[in-house]
Amino acid sequence: MSIEGYKRIRNKKISRYSLQYMLKCLEDPEHPSAGPYLSFMNLTGNWHPNMELKSTRFKQMVYYILMTFFFSQYLKCLIGLDLSALLFIIQTAPFHMGTPKTIFFRKDYHLWEKLIDYMSRTELRQLSDEDEEVIDVMDEYIRKSRRVIYPFWFMAICCNISLFTDPYQKNQIVENGTDIYVPLFQFYVPFNQDVPPGYYYSMVIQTILGNIMSSYIISWDSLVISTFIFFAGQLKISRVYCTKVIDPESKERSHENIIKCHRFHTSLKEHQKLFEKLISSVMFIYLIVISINLGSCIIQISNASGDLPAMMAAMLFVFGILVQLLIFYWFSNEVTVESLSVSSGIFESKWITMDAKIQKEVALLQHTTSKRLFFQSRAM
C-alpha cells in the first residue's frame, strides 16, 4: 500500500459531517500525527520553521509584546503589593502557565525540532514499508489523538469564554455610589483603565492578548498530548515488530530483524527521554501552580454560594483544569503500560525453532525491550 493509498483509505473512513473531516485542512502529509498541532503552533508563531517570512517576523513581534504586557502585570503586582491582583493571578494560574510554556519551548526549540523530525521520519518510513499491521496501529493512534485533542480545543474555548466574560458580570457592583469596573489583567497602560472609556480600551487589549496567550497554551498542550499518544502507539508498533522478528526459513533475515528491532526500540527510548527532558521543568512548575490554584478555586466556589454565575464560572474552570490534568497523566501512563508489553511480542514469534545463537540474540532483545518507560517532573 502506498502513502497515497493510505491517505485515500483514511479519507474514506472519515464521515463528511465529522469534526475530523472539517479540520482536514490542518493535516500535513509531512507530519502524519503532529500535523494539525504544528499548524496551530505555526499560526501562533511558536513553531517557526521559516524565519524569513514577514508573517513569521510579525508573529515574533506579537510574542514579545505579549510577554512585555504579562511581565508588566507580574511586576505591578510585586511592586504595588496588590493582594487582589495576586489572588486573581493565583485563581487563573493555569492560564498564566502560557508564559513558562512558551519560554521553555523557544529556549529548547532546536531540541523540539529534533524530536518532531524523528516522529515524522519514523511514521513516513513505516508508511513507505507498507506493513498493513503497522499502518493499522498508526491509523488507530492518529485517530485517537484527533478524538482527544479536538474536543479538548472546544473545552478550552468554553473555559476562555467563562474567564473573559467574568469581569463584565462583576461591573454592576456599586460601592458608595461609584461604579466598579473589574479588569481582566493588571497590565501597565498609558491611560486610566479604572473608568470608561479607558477601561474599555484596556479590556480590548487584554482580551486580544489574553486569547493569544490562550492559543499558546492550547497549542503547546496539544503537541505534548499528541506526542504522548505517538510514543504509546510506537511502542505498540515495536511489539508488532517483535512478533515478526523470526523468519523460520532464514537465519540471516532473523538476525537482521533482531538488529532492526533493537535499533528501533533503542531509538524510541532515547527520544522518549528527550521528550521527558523537554517537558519535565514545565510540568514541575505546573504541578505546583495547579496545587495552589485548585485550593484557591475551591475557596472561591464556597464563598460564591449566593452568586450562581460566579460559582458556575469557577466550577467550569476547575473542571477544565481537572480534565487537562487527567489527559496529561492518562496518556503518560499509557506510555508506561505499553512499554511493559513490548517484550511479550517476542514470545509470539517462532523463536523456539531457531538455533542457540539466534535464541541468545532473542534473549538480549527481550531484555532490551522489557525496560519500563516513564515520565518524571523535575525542577530546572
Side-chain angles (χ1 to χ4, degrees):
M1 182 191 297
S2 65
I3 297 176
E4 289 75 17
Y6 170 67
K7 291 175 185 174
R8 286 197 297 271
I9 288 176
R10 284 196 65 204
N11 290 339
K12 287 179 182 178
K13 291 180 180 178
I14 300 173
S15 168
R16 294 183 62 184
Y17 304 102
S18 68
L19 181 62
Q20 187 175 346
Y21 183 86
M22 291 184 283
L23 293 171
K24 274 200 308 180
C25 59
L26 296 176
E27 299 286 344
D28 185 348
E30 296 299 320
H31 305 285
S33 64
Y37 323 121
L38 291 178
S39 298
F40 193 1
M41 295 199 84
N42 188 36
L43 181 65
T44 65
N46 277 340
W47 179 251
H48 43 270
N50 188 356
M51 283 295 294
E52 300 302 318
L53 296 175
K54 290 183 179 180
S55 60
T56 302
R57 291 199 292 268
F58 173 74
K59 292 170 188 175
Q60 302 312 302
M61 182 181 69
V62 170
Y63 166 75
Y64 290 113
I65 292 173
L66 178 69
M67 289 294 109
T68 300
F69 271 100
F70 269 86
F71 274 102
S72 76
Q73 176 183 238
Y74 307 145
L75 287 173
K76 186 176 181 180
C77 180
L78 291 173
I79 294 171
L81 298 176
D82 190 338
L83 186 60
S84 61
L86 178 61
L87 181 60
F88 183 76
I89 290 174
I90 292 173
Q91 289 171 349
T92 58
F95 182 86
H96 293 277
M97 277 301 298
T99 303
K101 284 177 180 179
T102 52
I103 290 173
F104 278 101
F105 184 86
R106 288 167 180 265
K107 181 180 77 71
D108 299 321
Y109 185 77
H110 66 289
L111 294 177
W112 277 104
E113 282 187 311
K114 179 181 176 182
L115 176 63
I116 291 167
D117 179 64
Y118 165 75
M119 292 166 57
S120 300
R121 281 190 293 104
T122 299
E123 291 173 334
L124 291 173
R125 183 176 65 250
Q126 289 168 345
L127 289 173
S128 65
D129 289 342
E130 301 184 354
D131 186 321
E132 295 283 350
E133 193 172 354
V134 168
I135 289 176
D136 285 344
V137 174
M138 189 186 302
D139 184 54
E140 178 188 354
Y141 78 70
I142 289 176
R143 288 178 184 279
K144 178 191 287 186
S145 175
R146 306 296 189 264
R147 287 195 298 267
V148 169
I149 294 175
Y150 291 157
F152 174 71
W153 288 358
F154 177 75
M155 184 198 71
I157 291 170
C158 292
C159 288
N160 262 19
I161 293 171
S162 171
L163 178 65
F164 291 131
T165 57
D166 186 54
Y168 296 103
Q169 298 172 14
K170 297 176 180 178
N171 283 346
Q172 303 303 318
I173 300 173
V174 177
E175 192 172 283
N176 298 326
T178 304
D179 291 338
I180 296 176
Y181 294 90
V182 181
L184 188 60
F185 304 110
Q186 297 288 342
F187 295 157
Y188 274 117
V189 289
F191 49 80
N192 186 359
Q193 58 180 330
D194 295 329
V195 294
Y199 171 78
Y200 294 110
Y201 297 151
S202 175
M203 287 300 287
V204 168
I205 296 171
Q206 293 174 27
T207 301
I208 292 172
L209 296 182
N211 278 289
I212 295 172
M213 177 63 86
S214 181
S215 68
Y216 289 165
I217 298 168
I218 297 168
S219 60
W220 188 92
D221 290 350
S222 301
L223 181 61
V224 169
I225 293 166
S226 72
T227 306
F228 279 132
I229 296 173
F230 164 83
F231 279 108
Q234 288 296 320
L235 286 166
K236 287 184 179 180
I237 290 175
S238 184
R239 187 180 187 282
V240 171
Y241 287 155
C242 286
T243 63
K244 300 178 178 181
V245 76
I246 297 299
D247 185 345
E249 298 180 359
S250 174
K251 180 180 175 180
E252 289 74 20
R253 280 199 293 272
S254 296
H255 177 70
E256 290 174 1
N257 290 342
I258 291 171
I259 292 173
K260 289 179 181 177
C261 192
H262 178 271
R263 285 177 177 169
F264 174 77
H265 194 78
T266 301
S267 178
L268 202 61
K269 289 193 294 183
E270 289 174 355
H271 287 86
Q272 182 266 335
K273 289 301 177 185
L274 172 61
F275 179 52
E276 180 189 39
K277 176 184 175 182
L278 290 172
I279 67 171
S280 62
S281 296
V282 175
M283 295 308 293
F284 178 79
I285 297 170
Y286 191 59
L287 181 63
I288 296 172
V289 166
I290 286 296
S291 300
I292 298 170
N293 175 257
L294 283 175
S296 172
C297 286
I298 290 169
I299 292 171
Q300 184 184 8
I301 291 170
S302 63
N303 291 337
S305 56
D307 187 351
L308 185 59
M311 185 172 65
M312 293 299 294
M315 290 179 66
L316 178 61
F317 194 69
V318 170
F319 175 75
I321 294 169
L322 293 175
V323 169
Q324 188 181 36
L325 279 176
L326 173 65
I327 292 173
F328 279 125
Y329 285 107
W330 182 278
F331 289 108
S332 64
N333 181 66
E334 269 204 355
V335 175
T336 301
V337 171
E338 293 298 337
S339 70
L340 296 174
S341 65
V342 173
S343 61
S344 63
I346 295 172
F347 297 103
E348 297 178 23
S349 67
K350 299 179 181 179
W351 63 276
I352 199 170
T353 63
M354 306 306 291
D355 59 22
K357 182 180 178 181
I358 294 295
Q359 288 184 5
K360 287 180 181 178
E361 292 179 356
V362 168
L364 288 172
L365 179 63
Q366 192 276 334
H367 177 71
T368 301
T369 56
S370 64
K371 300 296 183 182
R372 178 174 174 266
L373 304 183
F374 56 91
F375 294 91
Q376 297 184 89
S377 298
R378 294 188 293 268
M380 294 172 281

